[in-house]
Amino acid sequence: GQQLNQSPQSMFIQEGEDVSMNCTSSSIFNTWLWYKQDPGEGPVLLIALYKAGELTSNGRLTAQFGITRKDSFLNISASIPSDVGIYFCAGRPNSGGYQKVTFGIGTKLQVIP
Amino acid sequence: GAGVSQSPRYKVAKRGQDVALRCDPISGHVSLFWYQQALGQGPEFLTYFQNEAQLDKSGLPSDRFFAERPEGSVSTLKIQRTQQEDSAVYLCASSSGDGTQYFGPGTRLLVL
């Protein structure tokens, strides 16, 4: 099935560094979502974006909905060891009700203390 | 309960065996989704229920896969005559209808 393109696919960073990852799609989405998945658990929603150009923060996390509606990025500032995990972007055609969610392949983040 | 629960957490099956995976959604959530997550990949949509009605099953990979939610609460994903390529994590998610999906921990299926 279709999956969104995420980059980088994995990264090692030093604790305290900032992190940036992005996601692109060949299709337009009207909702962009960012999830984090810890080992042995299901994905947990971090940030939801509903409007092109929107910039939203959640603590040390900031995400933006691209103007073209075909991309999004996630920044993590001042990384800490518990940021380790796999980050998935996901897109949905519309903001409300039922719409199939398409996930990216994930960015695996390792933080070196 | 407080969150989505799934059972069993781990399942090892011999090729050709039938398996049944259970999902208990968050109480009151009308929407329920099943996803398949292969190793190193993101979740891929399998099927969607609104209450007891299965409104979208376009992601089910073959007719060996069957899902039901007879009373609009608990759901079961059944895989008949399992094959090695069915090995994956099967995730269930529920939603109140505002679009936000809450995921369970998944069932890890290994077919030998």
Side-chain angles (χ1 to χ4, degrees):
Chain A
Q2 179 199 359
Q3 294 215 319
L4 306 179
N5 297 313
Q6 265 186 265
S7 64
Q9 290 190 27
S10 66
M11 52 196 316
F12 287 81
I13 60 167
Q14 205 74 36
E15 182 178 357
E17 286 184 345
D18 297 346
V19 175
S20 185
M21 57 192 80
N22 66 59
C23 188
T24 59
S25 169
S26 56
S27 307
I28 287 175
F29 290 111
N30 286 309
T31 300
W32 280 93
L33 308 164
W34 285 92
Y35 287 85
K36 180 181 182 231
Q37 186 173 29
D38 292 327
E41 299 297 328
V44 173
L45 183 66
L46 300 173
I47 292 181
L49 302 154
Y50 301 106
K51 202 161 86 169
E54 179 181 354
L55 187 71
T56 296
S57 293
N58 178 7
R60 294 178 296 105
L61 276 60
T62 302
Q64 183 155 31
F65 189 144
I67 294 289
T68 65
R69 293 187 287 160
K70 291 184 176 182
D71 63 324
S72 178
F73 74 74
L74 175 71
N75 283 345
I76 305 172
S77 62
S79 58
I80 59 178
S82 61
D83 291 335
V84 165
I86 303 177
Y87 292 79
F88 291 100
C89 63
R92 207 165 68 203
N94 288 304
S95 58
Y98 161 65
Q99 287 289 342
K100 193 180 299 185
V101 175
T102 302
F103 281 82
I105 60 173
T107 294
K108 187 173 184 179
L109 177 64
Q110 307 266 38
V111 179
I112 304 166
Chain B
V4 178
S5 60
Q6 292 186 245
S7 61
R9 292 293 308 272
Y10 301 91
K11 177 70 180 177
V12 179
K14 290 183 181 176
R15 191 171 54 183
Q17 240 182 334
D18 297 349
V19 298
L21 313 179
R22 177 187 168 107
C23 173
D24 281 85
I26 294 173
S27 178
H29 277 193
V30 299
S31 301
L32 186 144
F33 304 80
W34 283 99
Y35 292 85
Q36 181 189 59
Q37 185 175 22
L39 189 64
Q41 300 293 318
E44 287 203 39
F45 171 84
L46 292 177
T47 187
Y48 160 70
F49 288 86
Q50 184 171 318
N51 295 306
E52 69 278 5
Q54 188 174 20
L55 298 186
D56 188 344
K57 53 182 181 179
S58 62
L60 296 176
S62 78
D63 59 7
R64 296 186 295 105
F65 287 70
F66 172 76
E68 60 183 6
R69 194 186 185 198
E71 296 177 1
S73 178
V74 170
S75 177
T76 303
L77 176 67
K78 297 179 179 177
I79 309 173
Q80 297 176 323
R81 304 181 303 281
T82 52
Q83 303 294 315
Q84 285 184 322
E85 62 263 27
D86 299 336
S87 296
V89 175
Y90 291 86
L91 293 164
C92 175
S94 70
S95 171
S96 63
D98 67 350
T100 302
Q101 295 182 24
Y102 297 87
F103 283 83
T107 293
R108 277 144 191 81
L109 173 65
L110 177 62
V111 181
L112 301 176

